[in-house]
Amino acid sequence: MLLKKGPVLAAAVVLPLFSGAAFLGASWTVGPAAAMQRGSAAGMNRSEIEFESAAERRAWEAVVESQNDKPGRARAFLAEHPGSIMAAEAHYLLALDALEHQAVDRFDNHARGALKEFPRLVRRQPGQRIRWLSLLAQLGFVESETGRLESARTSARELLRLVDDTQPGQGWTRPAWEAMIRQLRASAHYILGRSQLGAEDGLAEAILHLERAVHFNPLDDYAYYRLGQALNAAGREAEAGRNLARAALLEGVAGSAASQLLGRTLTPDEKRTLLEEQATWLDGQLKLRPSALFALADGVPHPAYWVHAVPREVRHSSFAGSDFSNIRRLDYSGPESCQACHPLKYQDWATHSHRWMNASAGPQTVKGDFDDKQVRYLGGKADFVRQGENYRMRLARGRLKRTYAVTRTIGSRFFQYYVGRQIEGPETAAGPPEPVEEVLPFGYWLGRRQWVPVVHIDEEMPDGQRRDPFSASLSPVAYDRNCSACHTTRPIGDWML
């Protein structure tokens, strides 16, 4: 009798959407997140899109530029321009919104609407094809996990057919392209194997497809788990145990379904021996570290190992790629290597405020005047003070008081802004605040040597219409969630996240 792991509905995966904005989707995702961001028509030059009218263009621009209600704008766009070339993108956005809210029927509706319109868009914008295929993989996965097995098989077979007919897209490196195609094939075979588990006389075919899934994506713990179930049902206990052990190792959660299933048939010593053996196997196949893998399976944190450092749900929407890196310090020679040949350029850079972009706050990096300075604004006051090598920003109006610890600098051409954590205020009354680093409400105008309210990339507004930093209902602007996509280097070796 097969034990069901059950639909995975609780975790979340970060999917970049449109112009770098973070989108939170559900862990039904099995395709690579990179495919969801590549070639987004919402982020491409709007002059490349052939709109039927100026009104259609304005309506689509409203979708792209919306900061708070993209789904609402997308629904309005579809209602007003159902025949638009951008209907695929609007449906796609709404399908992802449905995933976030775990609304299966709504996801089906908009996913099918997008899939119907994508061929027309792809004829004009071939770069959209990977997003088309990735959405098809998502649809098949949701269908397989919600019992619509025949529909899931249809989606998976169509995915394999389209993958076979897909050529490398512009801007892809060969390793990244090959990894993407492997992931899409793995997704299709997982869906076919998962759906055959529920079909009469489908066990042999389920095993075949799940073996192909782990061949194409040897980091997929879902596929190892389902393969272990199928082999167990087929009476191949030794093979089942090996695959369940690999699932437990890669899932990295103490008490996972795979780990529990092993514990029902093995003694603790037998289970430990099997996990150690399969950790060694994974190390040989994937160049992973068996000691770290075993620590994960045993529920022990092991921060030195990247699989533990990267959230499980993110790993599930990513793919195995090359060893190329562009985000380590060692990947760059450093600014001093330029100084000998380009002394003037180096000096300009060294004295420019943008040099201190995303720097840890300290005496060398902080350029604002924190020498007990004060500004008054909107009936409140802000004090900027230094305590040794620590910098504080204190806001007060009436009874409301907030204090922020400055943790990072944000450099720009004329200003230095700051990132920090709230350490005192009404939000902390019930206990320590959530350790979220947010953009602080005042910045320093370097040329005029004065403190001013922070102005982002939006249109400049009069004081009465700006964000009130003293408001009792102030919502923090989390830097890493809202800003870092544009202000930090993205790993481009395999276009992962």
Side-chain angles (χ1 to χ4, degrees), residues 111-169:
R112 295 183 190 284
L115 293 171
K116 178 182 177 182
E117 297 291 343
F118 259 126
R120 184 161 62 108
L121 179 60
V122 167
R123 283 194 292 272
R124 298 190 189 184
Q125 298 290 336
Q128 300 299 306
R129 187 177 182 88
I130 286 294
R131 282 158 52 80
W132 172 17
L133 302 187
S134 298
L135 182 60
L136 183 57
Q138 285 226 23
L139 176 62
F141 184 73
V142 171
E143 289 170 334
S144 72
E145 293 293 336
T146 53
R148 291 167 292 162
L149 306 183
E150 189 56 45
S151 294
R153 287 191 283 270
T154 299
S155 296
R157 291 178 185 128
E158 177 68 3
L159 177 59
L160 286 174
R161 184 188 71 80
L162 291 170
V163 167
D164 288 338
D165 194 37
T166 297
Q167 301 300 316

Short mmCIF file of all heavy atoms in Angstrom, two decimals, residues 111-169:
data_model
loop_
_atom_site.label_atom_id
_atom_site.label_comp_id
_atom_site.label_asym_id
_atom_site.label_seq_id
_atom_site.Cartn_x
_atom_site.Cartn_y
_atom_site.Cartn_z
N ALA A 111 -4.05 30.00 -16.28
CA ALA A 111 -2.96 29.26 -16.92
C ALA A 111 -3.38 28.82 -18.32
O ALA A 111 -2.62 28.97 -19.29
CB ALA A 111 -2.57 28.04 -16.08
N ARG A 112 -4.60 28.32 -18.45
CA ARG A 112 -5.08 27.89 -19.77
C ARG A 112 -5.27 29.09 -20.70
O ARG A 112 -5.03 29.00 -21.91
CB ARG A 112 -6.35 27.08 -19.63
CG ARG A 112 -6.14 25.77 -18.90
CD ARG A 112 -7.38 24.91 -18.81
NE ARG A 112 -7.17 23.80 -17.91
CZ ARG A 112 -6.46 22.71 -18.19
NH1 ARG A 112 -5.89 22.60 -19.38
NH2 ARG A 112 -6.31 21.75 -17.30
N GLY A 113 -5.70 30.21 -20.11
CA GLY A 113 -5.83 31.42 -20.93
C GLY A 113 -4.47 31.87 -21.45
O GLY A 113 -4.33 32.23 -22.64
N ALA A 114 -3.45 31.81 -20.60
CA ALA A 114 -2.10 32.20 -21.04
C ALA A 114 -1.57 31.23 -22.07
O ALA A 114 -0.98 31.63 -23.08
CB ALA A 114 -1.17 32.25 -19.83
N LEU A 115 -1.76 29.92 -21.83
CA LEU A 115 -1.24 28.92 -22.77
C LEU A 115 -1.92 29.03 -24.14
O LEU A 115 -1.30 28.76 -25.17
CB LEU A 115 -1.44 27.52 -22.19
CG LEU A 115 -0.60 27.21 -20.94
CD1 LEU A 115 -1.04 25.89 -20.32
CD2 LEU A 115 0.88 27.19 -21.26
N LYS A 116 -3.16 29.43 -24.15
CA LYS A 116 -3.86 29.63 -25.41
C LYS A 116 -3.30 30.80 -26.19
O LYS A 116 -3.20 30.77 -27.43
CB LYS A 116 -5.36 29.85 -25.14
CG LYS A 116 -6.18 30.11 -26.39
CD LYS A 116 -7.63 30.35 -26.04
CE LYS A 116 -8.46 30.69 -27.28
NZ LYS A 116 -9.88 30.97 -26.93
N GLU A 117 -2.89 31.86 -25.47
CA GLU A 117 -2.42 33.09 -26.12
C GLU A 117 -0.91 33.11 -26.36
O GLU A 117 -0.43 33.87 -27.21
CB GLU A 117 -2.79 34.30 -25.25
CG GLU A 117 -4.29 34.50 -25.05
CD GLU A 117 -4.99 34.93 -26.34
OE1 GLU A 117 -4.30 35.38 -27.27
OE2 GLU A 117 -6.22 34.82 -26.39
N PHE A 118 -0.14 32.28 -25.64
CA PHE A 118 1.31 32.33 -25.78
C PHE A 118 1.81 32.08 -27.20
O PHE A 118 2.76 32.75 -27.65
CB PHE A 118 1.99 31.35 -24.81
CG PHE A 118 2.54 32.01 -23.57
CD1 PHE A 118 2.19 31.57 -22.31
CD2 PHE A 118 3.42 33.08 -23.67
CE1 PHE A 118 2.69 32.17 -21.17
CE2 PHE A 118 3.93 33.70 -22.55
CZ PHE A 118 3.56 33.25 -21.29
N PRO A 119 1.25 31.11 -27.97
CA PRO A 119 1.77 30.89 -29.33
C PRO A 119 1.77 32.16 -30.17
O PRO A 119 2.71 32.42 -30.93
CB PRO A 119 0.84 29.83 -29.89
CG PRO A 119 0.37 29.07 -28.69
CD PRO A 119 0.22 30.10 -27.61
N ARG A 120 0.73 32.98 -30.04
CA ARG A 120 0.66 34.22 -30.81
C ARG A 120 1.76 35.19 -30.37
O ARG A 120 2.41 35.84 -31.19
CB ARG A 120 -0.72 34.85 -30.63
CG ARG A 120 -0.95 36.11 -31.46
CD ARG A 120 -2.44 36.38 -31.57
NE ARG A 120 -3.05 36.64 -30.29
CZ ARG A 120 -3.48 37.84 -29.89
NH1 ARG A 120 -3.32 38.89 -30.68
NH2 ARG A 120 -4.06 37.99 -28.73
N LEU A 121 1.99 35.27 -29.05
CA LEU A 121 3.02 36.15 -28.55
C LEU A 121 4.41 35.65 -28.94
O LEU A 121 5.29 36.43 -29.31
CB LEU A 121 2.91 36.27 -27.02
CG LEU A 121 3.95 37.15 -26.32
CD1 LEU A 121 3.88 38.58 -26.82
CD2 LEU A 121 3.76 37.09 -24.81
N VAL A 122 4.60 34.32 -28.88
CA VAL A 122 5.91 33.74 -29.19
C VAL A 122 6.28 33.95 -30.65
O VAL A 122 7.47 34.09 -30.98
CB VAL A 122 5.92 32.24 -28.81
CG1 VAL A 122 7.13 31.52 -29.39
CG2 VAL A 122 5.89 32.09 -27.29
N ARG A 123 5.30 33.98 -31.53
CA ARG A 123 5.62 34.24 -32.94
C ARG A 123 6.28 35.60 -33.12
O ARG A 123 7.13 35.79 -33.99
CB ARG A 123 4.36 34.14 -33.79
CG ARG A 123 3.91 32.72 -34.07
CD ARG A 123 2.89 32.65 -35.17
NE ARG A 123 1.62 33.24 -34.80
CZ ARG A 123 0.63 32.59 -34.19
NH1 ARG A 123 0.79 31.29 -33.91
NH2 ARG A 123 -0.50 33.18 -33.88
N ARG A 124 5.89 36.56 -32.29
CA ARG A 124 6.48 37.90 -32.36
C ARG A 124 7.68 38.05 -31.42
O ARG A 124 8.59 38.82 -31.69
CB ARG A 124 5.43 38.96 -32.02
CG ARG A 124 4.25 38.99 -32.97
CD ARG A 124 3.41 40.22 -32.70
NE ARG A 124 2.16 40.20 -33.45
CZ ARG A 124 1.27 41.19 -33.45
NH1 ARG A 124 1.52 42.29 -32.72
NH2 ARG A 124 0.16 41.11 -34.12
N GLN A 125 7.62 37.34 -30.31
CA GLN A 125 8.69 37.43 -29.31
C GLN A 125 9.14 36.00 -28.95
O GLN A 125 8.69 35.42 -27.96
CB GLN A 125 8.18 38.16 -28.06
CG GLN A 125 7.76 39.59 -28.31
CD GLN A 125 8.97 40.47 -28.61
OE1 GLN A 125 10.08 40.16 -28.23
NE2 GLN A 125 8.73 41.57 -29.31
N PRO A 126 10.05 35.40 -29.72
CA PRO A 126 10.46 34.01 -29.48
C PRO A 126 11.02 33.77 -28.07
O PRO A 126 10.96 32.66 -27.57
CB PRO A 126 11.54 33.78 -30.55
CG PRO A 126 11.21 34.76 -31.64
CD PRO A 126 10.67 35.97 -30.93
N GLY A 127 11.53 34.82 -27.43
CA GLY A 127 12.09 34.66 -26.10
C GLY A 127 11.07 34.27 -25.05
O GLY A 127 11.43 33.86 -23.94
N GLN A 128 9.78 34.39 -25.38
CA GLN A 128 8.73 34.03 -24.43
C GLN A 128 8.47 32.53 -24.36
O GLN A 128 7.71 32.06 -23.51
CB GLN A 128 7.42 34.75 -24.81
CG GLN A 128 7.51 36.25 -24.82
CD GLN A 128 7.87 36.78 -23.45
OE1 GLN A 128 7.20 36.48 -22.47
NE2 GLN A 128 8.92 37.57 -23.37
N ARG A 129 9.11 31.75 -25.25
CA ARG A 129 8.78 30.33 -25.35
C ARG A 129 9.09 29.57 -24.05
O ARG A 129 8.32 28.70 -23.63
CB ARG A 129 9.54 29.71 -26.52
CG ARG A 129 9.12 28.26 -26.80
CD ARG A 129 9.85 27.71 -28.02
NE ARG A 129 9.44 26.36 -28.34
CZ ARG A 129 8.41 26.03 -29.12
NH1 ARG A 129 7.68 26.98 -29.66
NH2 ARG A 129 8.11 24.77 -29.35
N ILE A 130 10.21 29.89 -23.40
CA ILE A 130 10.57 29.17 -22.18
C ILE A 130 9.55 29.43 -21.08
O ILE A 130 9.17 28.54 -20.31
CB ILE A 130 11.98 29.57 -21.72
CG1 ILE A 130 13.02 28.92 -22.64
CG2 ILE A 130 12.23 29.15 -20.29
CD1 ILE A 130 13.07 27.41 -22.55
N ARG A 131 9.05 30.66 -20.99
CA ARG A 131 8.01 30.97 -20.00
C ARG A 131 6.74 30.19 -20.31
O ARG A 131 6.03 29.71 -19.41
CB ARG A 131 7.73 32.47 -19.96
CG ARG A 131 8.78 33.25 -19.20
CD ARG A 131 8.82 34.71 -19.59
NE ARG A 131 7.53 35.38 -19.53
CZ ARG A 131 6.97 35.84 -18.42
NH1 ARG A 131 7.59 35.68 -17.27
NH2 ARG A 131 5.82 36.47 -18.45
N TRP A 132 6.42 30.05 -21.57
CA TRP A 132 5.28 29.25 -22.01
C TRP A 132 5.44 27.81 -21.53
O TRP A 132 4.52 27.23 -20.92
CB TRP A 132 5.21 29.34 -23.54
CG TRP A 132 4.22 28.45 -24.23
CD1 TRP A 132 3.15 27.80 -23.70
CD2 TRP A 132 4.21 28.14 -25.64
NE1 TRP A 132 2.48 27.11 -24.66
CE2 TRP A 132 3.11 27.29 -25.86
CE3 TRP A 132 5.02 28.49 -26.71
CZ2 TRP A 132 2.80 26.79 -27.12
CZ3 TRP A 132 4.71 28.00 -27.96
CH2 TRP A 132 3.62 27.16 -28.17
N LEU A 133 6.60 27.22 -21.77
CA LEU A 133 6.82 25.83 -21.38
C LEU A 133 6.84 25.68 -19.86
O LEU A 133 6.35 24.68 -19.32
CB LEU A 133 8.14 25.33 -21.97
CG LEU A 133 8.28 25.40 -23.49
CD1 LEU A 133 9.56 24.72 -23.95
CD2 LEU A 133 7.08 24.79 -24.18
N SER A 134 7.41 26.65 -19.16
CA SER A 134 7.46 26.57 -17.70
C SER A 134 6.07 26.64 -17.09
O SER A 134 5.77 25.95 -16.10
CB SER A 134 8.34 27.69 -17.14
OG SER A 134 9.66 27.55 -17.60
N LEU A 135 5.21 27.46 -17.66
CA LEU A 135 3.83 27.53 -17.17
C LEU A 135 3.10 26.22 -17.44
O LEU A 135 2.32 25.75 -16.61
CB LEU A 135 3.10 28.71 -17.82
CG LEU A 135 1.65 28.92 -17.35
CD1 LEU A 135 1.61 29.18 -15.85
CD2 LEU A 135 0.99 30.06 -18.10
N LEU A 136 3.36 25.61 -18.59
CA LEU A 136 2.75 24.32 -18.89
C LEU A 136 3.20 23.27 -17.87
O LEU A 136 2.41 22.43 -17.43
CB LEU A 136 3.13 23.90 -20.31
CG LEU A 136 2.53 22.59 -20.83
CD1 LEU A 136 1.01 22.60 -20.76
CD2 LEU A 136 2.99 22.33 -22.27
N ALA A 137 4.49 23.32 -17.48
CA ALA A 137 4.98 22.40 -16.44
C ALA A 137 4.28 22.65 -15.12
O ALA A 137 3.90 21.70 -14.41
CB ALA A 137 6.49 22.57 -16.29
N GLN A 138 4.07 23.91 -14.76
CA GLN A 138 3.35 24.21 -13.52
C GLN A 138 1.94 23.66 -13.55
O GLN A 138 1.46 23.10 -12.57
CB GLN A 138 3.31 25.74 -13.32
CG GLN A 138 4.61 26.32 -12.86
CD GLN A 138 4.41 27.30 -11.71
OE1 GLN A 138 3.42 27.24 -11.00
NE2 GLN A 138 5.35 28.19 -11.53
N LEU A 139 1.27 23.85 -14.69
CA LEU A 139 -0.11 23.36 -14.80
C LEU A 139 -0.15 21.84 -14.63
O LEU A 139 -0.98 21.31 -13.89
CB LEU A 139 -0.69 23.76 -16.15
CG LEU A 139 -2.11 23.25 -16.44
CD1 LEU A 139 -3.11 23.80 -15.44
CD2 LEU A 139 -2.52 23.60 -17.86
N GLY A 140 0.75 21.13 -15.33
CA GLY A 140 0.77 19.68 -15.21
C GLY A 140 1.05 19.22 -13.79
O GLY A 140 0.45 18.24 -13.31
N PHE A 141 1.94 19.92 -13.09
CA PHE A 141 2.25 19.55 -11.71
C PHE A 141 1.04 19.74 -10.80
O PHE A 141 0.71 18.86 -9.99
CB PHE A 141 3.43 20.37 -11.21
CG PHE A 141 3.90 19.98 -9.84
CD1 PHE A 141 4.57 18.80 -9.64
CD2 PHE A 141 3.66 20.80 -8.75
CE1 PHE A 141 5.01 18.43 -8.37
CE2 PHE A 141 4.08 20.45 -7.49
CZ PHE A 141 4.76 19.26 -7.30
N VAL A 142 0.37 20.86 -10.94
CA VAL A 142 -0.83 21.10 -10.12
C VAL A 142 -1.90 20.05 -10.42
O VAL A 142 -2.55 19.52 -9.51
CB VAL A 142 -1.38 22.52 -10.36
CG1 VAL A 142 -2.73 22.71 -9.69
CG2 VAL A 142 -0.39 23.56 -9.83
N GLU A 143 -2.07 19.73 -11.70
CA GLU A 143 -3.05 18.71 -12.08
C GLU A 143 -2.70 17.35 -11.46
O GLU A 143 -3.57 16.65 -10.93
CB GLU A 143 -3.12 18.59 -13.60
CG GLU A 143 -3.76 19.79 -14.27
CD GLU A 143 -3.59 19.78 -15.79
OE1 GLU A 143 -2.61 19.16 -16.27
OE2 GLU A 143 -4.41 20.39 -16.48
N SER A 144 -1.41 16.99 -11.48
CA SER A 144 -1.01 15.69 -10.95
C SER A 144 -1.19 15.62 -9.44
O SER A 144 -1.51 14.56 -8.89
CB SER A 144 0.44 15.38 -11.33
OG SER A 144 1.35 16.19 -10.61
N GLU A 145 -0.98 16.73 -8.75
CA GLU A 145 -1.09 16.75 -7.29
C GLU A 145 -2.52 16.93 -6.80
O GLU A 145 -2.79 16.78 -5.61
CB GLU A 145 -0.20 17.85 -6.71
CG GLU A 145 1.30 17.62 -6.88
CD GLU A 145 1.81 16.43 -6.08
OE1 GLU A 145 1.17 16.07 -5.07
OE2 GLU A 145 2.83 15.86 -6.47
N THR A 146 -3.42 17.27 -7.70
CA THR A 146 -4.83 17.45 -7.29
C THR A 146 -5.74 16.39 -7.91
O THR A 146 -6.95 16.57 -7.98
CB THR A 146 -5.33 18.86 -7.66
OG1 THR A 146 -5.08 19.12 -9.05
CG2 THR A 146 -4.63 19.91 -6.83
N GLY A 147 -5.14 15.29 -8.40
CA GLY A 147 -5.94 14.14 -8.82
C GLY A 147 -6.47 14.17 -10.23
O GLY A 147 -7.19 13.25 -10.62
N ARG A 148 -6.13 15.16 -11.02
CA ARG A 148 -6.62 15.21 -12.41
C ARG A 148 -5.56 14.57 -13.31
O ARG A 148 -4.83 15.24 -14.03
CB ARG A 148 -6.91 16.66 -12.81
CG ARG A 148 -8.12 17.22 -12.06
CD ARG A 148 -8.23 18.72 -12.20
NE ARG A 148 -7.14 19.40 -11.53
CZ ARG A 148 -6.82 20.66 -11.78
NH1 ARG A 148 -7.46 21.35 -12.70
NH2 ARG A 148 -5.82 21.24 -11.12
N LEU A 149 -5.50 13.26 -13.23
CA LEU A 149 -4.37 12.52 -13.77
C LEU A 149 -4.31 12.53 -15.29
O LEU A 149 -3.23 12.67 -15.88
CB LEU A 149 -4.39 11.09 -13.24
CG LEU A 149 -4.45 10.97 -11.70
CD1 LEU A 149 -4.40 9.51 -11.28
CD2 LEU A 149 -3.31 11.75 -11.06
N GLU A 150 -5.45 12.39 -15.95
CA GLU A 150 -5.44 12.38 -17.41
C GLU A 150 -5.04 13.74 -17.95
O GLU A 150 -4.27 13.85 -18.92
CB GLU A 150 -6.81 11.97 -17.95
CG GLU A 150 -6.82 11.72 -19.46
CD GLU A 150 -5.79 10.67 -19.88
OE1 GLU A 150 -5.70 9.62 -19.21
OE2 GLU A 150 -5.07 10.93 -20.87
N SER A 151 -5.55 14.80 -17.34
CA SER A 151 -5.16 16.15 -17.76
C SER A 151 -3.67 16.38 -17.53
O SER A 151 -2.98 17.00 -18.34
CB SER A 151 -5.96 17.20 -16.98
OG SER A 151 -7.33 17.14 -17.33
N ALA A 152 -3.15 15.84 -16.40
CA ALA A 152 -1.73 15.99 -16.12
C ALA A 152 -0.89 15.29 -17.18
O ALA A 152 0.12 15.82 -17.65
CB ALA A 152 -1.41 15.42 -14.73
N ARG A 153 -1.30 14.08 -17.56
CA ARG A 153 -0.55 13.36 -18.60
C ARG A 153 -0.58 14.11 -19.93
O ARG A 153 0.43 14.18 -20.64
CB ARG A 153 -1.11 11.94 -18.76
CG ARG A 153 -0.77 11.02 -17.60
CD ARG A 153 -1.11 9.58 -17.91
NE ARG A 153 -2.54 9.34 -17.81
CZ ARG A 153 -3.17 8.96 -16.71
NH1 ARG A 153 -2.49 8.81 -15.58
NH2 ARG A 153 -4.46 8.74 -16.70
N THR A 154 -1.72 14.69 -20.25
CA THR A 154 -1.83 15.46 -21.50
C THR A 154 -0.88 16.66 -21.47
O THR A 154 -0.18 16.94 -22.44
CB THR A 154 -3.28 15.94 -21.70
OG1 THR A 154 -4.14 14.79 -21.81
CG2 THR A 154 -3.40 16.79 -22.96
N SER A 155 -0.84 17.37 -20.34
CA SER A 155 0.04 18.53 -20.21
C SER A 155 1.51 18.11 -20.33
O SER A 155 2.31 18.77 -20.99
CB SER A 155 -0.20 19.24 -18.88
OG SER A 155 -1.50 19.77 -18.81
N ALA A 156 1.87 16.99 -19.68
CA ALA A 156 3.27 16.54 -19.70
C ALA A 156 3.69 16.11 -21.09
O ALA A 156 4.82 16.40 -21.54
CB ALA A 156 3.46 15.41 -18.70
N ARG A 157 2.84 15.40 -21.79
CA ARG A 157 3.19 14.97 -23.15
C ARG A 157 3.33 16.17 -24.09
O ARG A 157 4.21 16.20 -24.94
CB ARG A 157 2.12 14.00 -23.67
CG ARG A 157 2.13 12.65 -22.94
CD ARG A 157 1.04 11.74 -23.44
NE ARG A 157 0.99 10.50 -22.66
CZ ARG A 157 -0.11 10.02 -22.09
NH1 ARG A 157 -1.26 10.68 -22.21
NH2 ARG A 157 -0.08 8.89 -21.41
N GLU A 158 2.45 17.15 -23.92
CA GLU A 158 2.57 18.36 -24.74
C GLU A 158 3.86 19.11 -24.40
O GLU A 158 4.53 19.65 -25.30
CB GLU A 158 1.35 19.27 -24.48
CG GLU A 158 1.38 20.60 -25.21
CD GLU A 158 1.24 20.48 -26.72
OE1 GLU A 158 1.06 19.35 -27.22
OE2 GLU A 158 1.30 21.53 -27.39
N LEU A 159 4.23 19.10 -23.13
CA LEU A 159 5.49 19.74 -22.73
C LEU A 159 6.68 19.07 -23.40
O LEU A 159 7.57 19.75 -23.94
CB LEU A 159 5.62 19.69 -21.21
CG LEU A 159 6.92 20.25 -20.62
CD1 LEU A 159 7.10 21.72 -20.98
CD2 LEU A 159 6.92 20.08 -19.09
N LEU A 160 6.72 17.74 -23.39
CA LEU A 160 7.83 17.04 -24.04
C LEU A 160 7.86 17.31 -25.54
O LEU A 160 8.93 17.48 -26.13
CB LEU A 160 7.71 15.54 -23.79
CG LEU A 160 8.08 15.05 -22.38
CD1 LEU A 160 7.78 13.57 -22.23
CD2 LEU A 160 9.54 15.33 -22.07
N ARG A 161 6.70 17.37 -26.16
CA ARG A 161 6.64 17.65 -27.60
C ARG A 161 7.21 19.04 -27.90
O ARG A 161 8.01 19.21 -28.82
CB ARG A 161 5.20 17.55 -28.10
CG ARG A 161 5.07 17.73 -29.61
CD ARG A 161 3.62 17.81 -30.04
NE ARG A 161 2.99 19.06 -29.61
CZ ARG A 161 3.14 20.22 -30.26
NH1 ARG A 161 3.92 20.30 -31.33
NH2 ARG A 161 2.53 21.30 -29.81
N LEU A 162 6.81 20.02 -27.10
CA LEU A 162 7.28 21.39 -27.33
C LEU A 162 8.76 21.54 -27.01
O LEU A 162 9.48 22.28 -27.69
CB LEU A 162 6.45 22.36 -26.49
CG LEU A 162 4.99 22.52 -26.91
CD1 LEU A 162 4.21 23.32 -25.87
CD2 LEU A 162 4.88 23.18 -28.27
N VAL A 163 9.23 20.85 -25.97
CA VAL A 163 10.66 20.91 -25.63
C VAL A 163 11.49 20.36 -26.78
O VAL A 163 12.55 20.92 -27.13
CB VAL A 163 10.94 20.14 -24.33
CG1 VAL A 163 12.44 19.91 -24.15
CG2 VAL A 163 10.38 20.90 -23.13
N ASP A 164 11.03 19.27 -27.40
CA ASP A 164 11.77 18.68 -28.51
C ASP A 164 11.87 19.64 -29.69
O ASP A 164 12.79 19.53 -30.50
CB ASP A 164 11.09 17.38 -28.97
CG ASP A 164 11.28 16.25 -27.96
OD1 ASP A 164 12.24 16.33 -27.17
OD2 ASP A 164 10.47 15.32 -27.97
N ASP A 165 10.94 20.58 -29.76
CA ASP A 165 10.90 21.51 -30.89
C ASP A 165 11.43 22.89 -30.52
O ASP A 165 11.20 23.86 -31.23
CB ASP A 165 9.45 21.63 -31.39
CG ASP A 165 9.36 22.29 -32.74
OD1 ASP A 165 10.25 22.06 -33.58
OD2 ASP A 165 8.41 23.08 -32.97
N THR A 166 12.13 22.99 -29.38
CA THR A 166 12.60 24.29 -28.88
C THR A 166 14.08 24.47 -29.19
O THR A 166 14.89 23.59 -28.91
CB THR A 166 12.36 24.40 -27.36
OG1 THR A 166 10.95 24.34 -27.11
CG2 THR A 166 12.90 25.71 -26.82
N GLN A 167 14.41 25.61 -29.75
CA GLN A 167 15.79 25.95 -30.07
C GLN A 167 16.35 26.91 -29.02
O GLN A 167 15.59 27.63 -28.36
CB GLN A 167 15.87 26.60 -31.46
CG GLN A 167 15.34 25.72 -32.58
CD GLN A 167 16.10 24.42 -32.69
OE1 GLN A 167 17.33 24.40 -32.62
NE2 GLN A 167 15.37 23.32 -32.85
N PRO A 168 17.68 26.96 -28.86
CA PRO A 168 18.28 27.87 -27.87
C PRO A 168 17.85 29.31 -28.08
O PRO A 168 17.80 29.80 -29.20
CB PRO A 168 19.78 27.70 -28.10
CG PRO A 168 19.92 26.33 -28.68
CD PRO A 168 18.69 26.15 -29.55
N GLY A 169 17.49 29.97 -26.99
CA GLY A 169 17.05 31.35 -27.06
C GLY A 169 18.22 32.31 -27.07
O GLY A 169 19.32 31.99 -26.62
#
